[in-house]
Amino acid sequence: MLVSTSPPDRAAGHVAEPAPAAGSAGLGSAGLRPVHGSARDVLALLSAWQAAPEEPEPLLIATSGSTGEPKQVVLSRAAMRASARATERRLGGPGQWLLNLPSSYVAGVQVLFRSVLAGTEPVIEDEHPDFVTAARAMSGPRRYVSVVPTQLHRMLADDATAEALRGFDTVLVGGARLDPSLREAASAAGVRVVATYGMSETCGGCVYDGVPLDGVAVAIGDDGRVRVSGPVLFEGYAGRPDLTAQVLREGWFLTSDTGRLDDDGRLQVLGRVDDLVISGGVNVPTQAVAARLAEHPDLASVEVVGVPDEEWGQRVVAVVVPRDSGVPPLEALRDFAAETLPRTWAPRAVVPAASLPLLGNGKVDRRAVEQIAADADEAADAADAAAADAADGRTDG
């Protein structure tokens, strides 16, 4: 099993040993602090939670459910503090945060909790007419914001918003894959982005630009699955000891992602375990294919999914949002994918869409994308059947 830890010069005295096994596998919801309400409500809860003289009741935060069943994650104050302090050190110090993410999910909660720890007043975008106005209301010497890739893409397309982004010391981008082309566009616009990897179970981002935060260890199992250890791990899933036992093992959290470590120890996330599509006996990592297709200059965004197929078992389908030039031909996209990936991974169908469906937290709703692909497949089958019937009618006549 390959393991990556934060570099010695960033470790700040921490040793990236596996965390002790969670003792809350059987946690119910009683005695926990559910996170809900407005951003101000959550901020007030977190302020009181942080000020408690003893270790308070853990937080109860819902996962987004972007790729499966939503769950209730139990997070201790010690874990949240470890995450927030490690973020401060990595970014260069405490600062003022702008919140433009839902405050009920872990990314938004962390923006508010980092503010509480730093003793700074967060700026909440919903309390202002727009992002630009909210950014102008910031007064801290260091300024941070956390967004998802879809938000970043839209922000860079607007000159005023892109100018506002340039005023931040760091723009954290997480929640989904950051396409290289989007990162290049941000760099060209003078916006400093840091790609984060993490989830509710790790108190949010715990790997920044491929490097684990202080005290965090990342390992790749023999099955290619990404594992995380350290003081940022959750206590368990409320009311679901069965699920907790499946993913918390000997101090390691077994994520649902596959990945690899570069020669310098940086983590590369290849996709989710359940995103593998078996097509013609070949395991196709759909996120790797989507990442490659997203580099095509005629495509604004891409998701790749599998649909049932009698011949292939599953057929690889790309749901794409084209730019003004339109959708490239299927064979052209297959050739483009095959320039860097095995040709057996290339999509066998392309479905154009006006936009990709999103969840409330800004992540792409992959279940809805799968339905778009399935509906297009069904419509194509119906059209083929109608054409065959018409041909039979001409022959009979």
Side-chain angles (χ1 to χ4, degrees):
M1 182 169 66
L2 299 176
V3 181
S4 175
T5 64
S6 52
D9 62 338
R10 290 182 176 173
H14 293 283
V15 178
E17 295 290 340
S24 308
L27 281 172
S29 58
L32 305 179
R33 297 195 181 196
V35 175
H36 56 75
S38 70
R40 287 294 169 185
D41 292 336
V42 175
L43 182 62
L45 181 154
L46 294 174
S47 296
W49 193 62
Q50 161 60 15
E54 304 293 337
E55 180 69 20
E57 302 93 340
L59 296 181
L60 188 63
I61 296 180
T63 64
S64 66
S66 59
T67 55
E69 173 191 358
K71 297 177 282 291
Q72 298 289 320
V73 174
V74 179
L75 298 176
S76 70
R77 186 177 67 177
M80 288 286 287
R81 279 178 172 175
S83 173
R85 294 301 190 196
T87 292
E88 283 185 358
R89 290 192 293 270
R90 185 61 58 87
L91 297 186
Q96 186 180 31
W97 287 83
L98 189 155
L99 175 70
N100 68 337
L101 294 170
S103 58
S104 56
Y105 292 122
V106 71
V109 173
Q110 272 290 22
V111 165
L112 296 176
F113 189 62
R114 292 169 190 148
S115 301
V116 170
L117 280 185
T120 59
E121 178 68 19
V123 173
I124 299 171
E125 182 181 350
D126 286 348
E127 298 177 350
H128 299 268
D130 51 39
F131 180 84
V132 173
T133 307
R136 288 172 180 164
M138 300 189 75
S139 58
R142 299 189 64 83
R143 303 179 184 187
Y144 304 123
V145 66
S146 183
V147 301
V148 298
T150 301
Q151 289 175 306
L152 179 61
H153 175 81
R154 294 172 178 172
M155 289 172 163
L156 293 176
D158 179 78
D159 290 342
T161 309
E163 175 63 29
L165 282 177
R166 282 192 283 273
F168 288 85
D169 293 85
T170 303
V171 177
L172 297 184
V173 185
R177 179 187 69 249
L178 176 60
D179 293 330
S181 59
L182 181 56
R183 182 165 202 147
E184 291 172 4
S187 179
V191 178
R192 180 177 182 264
V193 302
V194 171
T196 70
Y197 169 74
M199 55 282 299
S200 301
E201 293 86 344
T202 61
C203 293
C206 62
V207 178
Y208 283 20
D209 280 341
V211 180
L213 292 178
D214 297 349
V216 174
V218 173
I220 307 298
D222 295 337
D223 57 357
R225 194 167 170 177
V226 178
R227 305 176 181 213
V228 179
S229 184
V232 301
L233 292 191
F234 73 134
E235 298 291 302
Y237 297 117
R240 294 301 305 268
D242 55 331
L243 293 182
T244 303
Q246 289 175 18
V247 299
L248 277 180
R249 299 181 185 175
E250 299 180 344
W252 291 93
F253 169 55
L254 280 61
T255 75
S256 297
D257 298 310
T258 60
R260 63 181 295 270
L261 298 178
D262 287 345
D263 292 339
D264 60 359
R266 289 180 182 266
L267 174 68
Q268 279 192 358
V269 178
L270 301 178
R272 291 182 62 86
V273 172
D274 54 8
D275 285 343
L276 280 177
V277 169
I278 303 176
S279 183
V282 176
N283 290 338
V284 180
T286 56
Q287 292 301 294
V289 179
R292 169 56 181 166
L293 293 179
E295 296 175 359
H296 195 287
D298 293 334
L299 300 181
S301 53
V302 183
E303 280 295 323
V304 175
V305 296
V307 298
D309 185 90
E310 291 184 2
E311 178 181 1
W312 298 97
Q314 287 182 293
R315 184 162 70 256
V316 179
V317 177
V319 178
V320 305
V321 178
R323 299 190 189 277
D324 296 338
S325 51
V327 180
L330 172 60
E331 283 306 313
L333 286 180
R334 284 177 55 81
D335 291 342
F336 183 78
E339 288 178 7
T340 60
L341 302 174
R343 192 169 186 85
T344 52
W345 293 8
R348 298 188 178 277
V350 175
V351 177
S355 62
L356 295 179
L358 302 177
L359 294 166
N361 61 358
K363 293 183 181 181
V364 173
D365 187 340
R366 282 186 57 82
R367 298 294 175 255
V369 173
E370 290 172 354
Q371 189 60 53
I372 291 173
D375 290 346
D377 190 60
E378 184 176 333
D381 287 345
D384 289 344
D389 289 343
D392 288 344
R394 289 194 298 272
T395 301
D396 293 344

